[in-house]
Amino acid sequence: MSFANHFEGVLVLLAIILYLIFFAGCIGPAFWTLVSEIFPNKMRGTAMIFPVVVQWLFNALLVWVFPAMLHGFRTVTFLLIGLMALLQLIFSIKWLPETKGKSLEEIEKYWKQQS
């Protein structure tokens, strides 16, 4: 059953707002928080170039292929995006340390101990 023709007007607006709320409260800022905390202070500005460029390239790639994916694989497209979000959650829980309440120097010390 396809729900594509049943979303109109206010329902579409509410779905978009709900998506933005969840994205901004969950996976949206995770990347930017992570890359700003994993590099030492003295090299942060230069080192952030690589992950930021990769992030924007993959954002552009997703925007470019999404319409074709949605047209060809309607349900699978959203399952794939959901799977990627789940993989990000697993990666974050398993390999990323908690940084709440820690200074950048403490985080840097943690990463140095791991290598």
Side-chain angles (χ1 to χ4, degrees), residues 29-65:
F31 168 79
W32 299 105
T33 304
L34 173 66
V35 296
S36 68
E37 292 181 347
I38 63 172
F39 298 114
N41 285 336
K42 54 188 161 184
M43 64 180 285
R44 181 170 295 127
T46 305
M48 282 188 62
I49 293 170
F50 180 73
V52 169
V53 167
V54 170
Q55 167 79 354
W56 282 107
L57 287 174
F58 276 94
N59 282 344
L61 178 66
L62 182 61
V63 168
W64 183 56
V65 300

Side-chain angles (χ1 to χ4, degrees), residues 90-107:
I90 292 168
F91 174 83
S92 298
I93 290 171
K94 188 167 180 153
W95 287 291
L96 297 179
E98 176 60 57
T99 58
K100 183 178 181 180
K102 294 183 181 176
S103 69
L104 291 174
E105 289 73 22
E106 290 173 314
I107 296 167

Side-chain angles (χ1 to χ4, degrees), residues 23 26-28 30 77-96:
F23 184 81
C26 299
I27 65 172
T77 300
F78 292 103
L79 290 175
L80 181 62
I81 291 171
L83 176 64
M84 293 296 116
L86 180 63
L87 290 174
Q88 179 185 357
L89 176 65
I90 292 168
F91 174 83
S92 298
I93 290 171
K94 188 167 180 153
W95 287 291
L96 297 179

